Amino acid sequence: MSCSSLFKMRLVHLDLKGAPPKVSYLSEVFPLFHALGANGLLIEYEDMFPYEGHLKVLRAKYAYSPAEVAEILRLARLSQLEVIPLVQTFGHMEFVLKHAAFAHLREVALFPNTLNPHEAESLAVVKAMIDQILELHRGAQWLHMGCDEVYFLGEGETSKQWLQQEQNSQAKLCLSHIRAVASHVLAQHPGTTPLVWDDMLRDIPQDQLKASGVPQMVEPVLWDYGADLDVYCKVLLMEKYQECGFQRLWAASAFKGATGASQALTPVEHHIRNHMQWLQVADSGPVDILQGIILTGWQRYDHFSVLCELLPVGIPSLAACLQLLVHGGFTEHVKLKVESFLGVTSLEMMDAVSEGAGSFPGSDIHALITQISLHLRSSVDALLERNSFPPRCLLATTGPGTHCLDLLQVCHWLVQPLPSQAEAYPPGYDPAHTA
């Protein structure tokens, strides 16, 4: 079976919750995405969307304007890229619940990641977010509702009381909220189909999932970013979802941002192996149920986390993964095509470094990050190892001491400030997924 029939749609994920690109940069990379084999985008706006009214507080300082969103959509159309907007509606709600105006809607008061599904205002806020996003994405065929990693669900005081009733369960609580949000999308925006990440659905008993009515309302996106993805278990999961009544499924791989919260350079080989495994899943699973694959490219593991690889750094990996999907494998011929697209003499998959500066959009950023990560890191580490206290050279403004000062400044530049623990997560919190 050809790869084009395995994955009819190949979407590049733009995670805007960290180092969001300027529209001018997107105008350069969209044609490259198309040339490499992508035919769609999953745009996760988070706080970069120009929310209005009582939601205006959600905007980041440099959020896109409505005109810029319109320009992004125009550029996507020019490159024949179908746009699917993503708005989180349950978990990963930090960009909403960190604000004082919405803090009372947290499931657990200390943690701003999960929405309290019992509050009527919670659903009202989510509906308003969806309506504003779809107002600027008229005609969108799909809307991704998020709904992954709903940590602490059931641990709020209202939830604890609700769960004491014999017929209630955490799975029922989760499905109820998904159903309520999806109902709004289907009722108010006919023609738009909701998508959800699948991790909260995986362990729900088949009969309960089927009886919930959710399979008739949403399309699950099965995500797995591992290089050793279990093909057999993934096929079984697809069969379970099909038997529950889901008509279409999606896959989600990763081209960057899935190998470490502070990863600076993208390990291309890892992501190639991940996509090879997904090809096996698609070839072995139920026929004609997979709608497409989303190549995720995470910028942060969550709203409060440090940055992982920047988008330009992940372009070589994205090129390799898209061409792999188009050709059904990563042969030497495919590797040569990727090198030609990127303008590099050699794509090194093991060392996360490509020979030659490259001519792809952002190749200069890729080169600089590589230099900092590989050539300065050892000097910085050695400096910090030798100096537990500020060295005398910090007092110098010229001469040999200046080099030490520069290196320390690099350290401070690379390290992103973290929120206080009360704003972030409890000890031991270690998210496995970043959507």
Side-chain angles (χ1 to χ4, degrees):
M1 186 179 293
S2 68
C3 182
S4 60
S5 61
L6 292 175
F7 295 115
K8 295 184 285 291
M9 298 193 68
R10 296 173 294 279
L11 282 73
V12 177
H13 170 233
L14 296 177
D15 177 18
L16 303 181
K17 65 176 172 282
K22 293 183 178 180
V23 177
S24 57
Y25 180 69
L26 296 179
S27 71
E28 297 181 53
V29 293
F30 284 1
L32 177 61
F33 291 172
H34 172 73
L36 290 168
N39 54 15
L41 301 169
L42 177 69
I43 303 182
E44 184 165 355
Y45 286 100
E46 221 204 41
D47 58 4
M48 285 299 291
F49 187 79
Y51 289 107
E52 297 286 355
H54 71 294
L55 298 179
K56 192 171 184 177
V57 68
L58 305 185
R59 288 190 188 188
K61 183 177 181 180
Y62 299 106
Y64 297 132
S65 67
E68 286 176 315
V69 172
E71 177 63 6
I72 290 171
L73 298 181
R74 187 188 72 84
L75 293 169
R77 287 193 298 272
L78 288 177
S79 292
Q80 301 175 48
L81 299 170
E82 176 91 26
V83 173
I84 300 178
L86 185 154
V87 55
Q88 287 288 0
T89 59
F90 207 177
H92 286 290
M93 291 283 284
E94 297 94 342
F95 76 104
V96 177
L97 300 177
K98 72 178 183 180
H99 295 285
F102 300 106
H104 63 287
L105 299 179
R106 300 176 182 183
E107 169 72 339
V108 176
L110 281 177
F111 309 121
N113 54 350
T114 295
L115 194 68
N116 181 347
H118 302 280
E119 290 284 347
E121 189 182 346
S122 294
L123 187 58
V125 168
V126 165
K127 288 179 177 180
M129 291 166 63
I130 289 172
D131 291 345
Q132 290 195 25
I133 284 181
L134 288 180
E135 176 65 23
L136 293 189
H137 293 77
R138 293 189 178 187
Q141 293 190 57
W142 295 275
L143 170 75
H144 201 312
M145 296 170 17
C147 296
D148 61 305
E149 297 180 331
V150 189
Y151 297 121
F152 308 118
L153 180 62
E155 297 184 24
E157 291 306 314
T158 306
S159 289
K160 287 179 180 178
Q161 296 177 21
W162 186 85
L163 289 170
Q164 288 178 357
Q165 301 177 37
E166 186 177 349
Q167 73 276 19
N168 292 337
S169 65
Q170 188 183 77
K172 183 177 179 180
L173 183 58
C174 179
L175 291 170
S176 175
H177 183 75
I178 292 175
R179 187 169 58 245
V181 177
S183 295
H184 174 76
V185 175
L186 295 171
Q188 299 301 316
H189 306 278
T192 301
T193 301
L195 307 182
V196 294
W197 299 116
D198 84 304
D199 53 293
M200 296 300 293
L201 306 177
R202 292 173 192 166
D203 297 329
I204 297 178
Q206 191 167 317
D207 56 345
Q208 187 175 359
L209 194 54
K210 186 175 183 178
S212 70
V214 168
Q216 287 71 46
M217 305 176 78
V218 306
E219 297 178 359
V221 183
L222 289 70
W223 60 267
D224 196 318
Y225 312 144
D228 56 351
L229 181 157
D230 190 324
V231 173
Y232 176 71
C233 288
K234 207 62 66 183
V235 170
L236 288 180
L237 184 59
M238 290 173 63
E239 292 173 346
K240 169 188 173 178
Y241 287 152
Q242 186 179 45
E243 291 169 7
C244 288
F246 290 106
Q247 297 299 308
R248 287 189 176 87
L249 307 175
W250 297 69
S253 57
F255 72 89
K256 79 173 190 73
T259 55
S262 60
Q263 186 79 32
L265 296 175
T266 306
V268 179
E269 184 191 33
H270 172 98
H271 298 288
I272 285 177
R273 288 172 57 195
N274 174 242
H275 285 80
M276 289 296 295
Q277 295 296 92
W278 270 115
L279 280 180
Q280 290 188 46
V281 172
D283 197 37
S284 305
V287 178
D288 296 330
I289 195 171
L290 274 176
Q291 179 72 25
I293 185 168
I294 299 168
L295 292 81
T296 63
W298 302 102
Q299 296 283 94
R300 299 184 193 273
Y301 273 32
D302 62 57
H303 184 77
F304 293 121
S305 183
V306 297
L307 288 168
C308 42
E309 307 106 296
L310 300 178
L311 179 56
V313 175
I315 294 295
S317 175
L318 175 63
C321 295
L322 277 171
Q323 282 289 286
L324 181 157
L325 292 175
V326 169
H327 295 283
F330 199 74
T331 62
E332 186 63 28
H333 171 70
V334 174
K335 182 171 180 284
L336 289 172
K337 288 179 70 69
V338 171
E339 290 166 352
S340 176
F341 276 118
L342 298 175
V344 299
T345 55
S346 178
L347 177 70
E348 298 298 332
M349 296 186 292
M350 293 294 292
D351 300 324
V353 182
S354 303
E355 293 182 14
S359 58
F360 60 92
S363 56
D364 52 344
I365 300 297
H366 182 280
L368 286 170
I369 297 295
T370 299
Q371 182 181 13
I372 290 171
S373 298
L374 296 184
H375 304 309
L376 289 184
R377 180 179 294 166
S378 59
S379 299
V380 172
D381 290 345
L383 177 70
L384 296 177
E385 181 69 25
R386 291 195 307 269
N387 298 279
S388 337
F389 300 97
R392 289 182 180 179
C393 65
L394 283 177
L395 302 177
T397 56
T398 59
T402 307
H403 179 61
C404 295
L405 179 60
D406 288 343
L407 287 174
L408 285 178
Q409 286 174 332
V410 168
C411 290
H412 289 302
W413 175 64
L414 288 174
V415 176
Q416 303 293 315
L418 288 172
S420 67
Q421 193 173 33
E423 293 177 304
Y425 299 101
Y429 177 79
D430 184 21
H433 177 49
T434 61

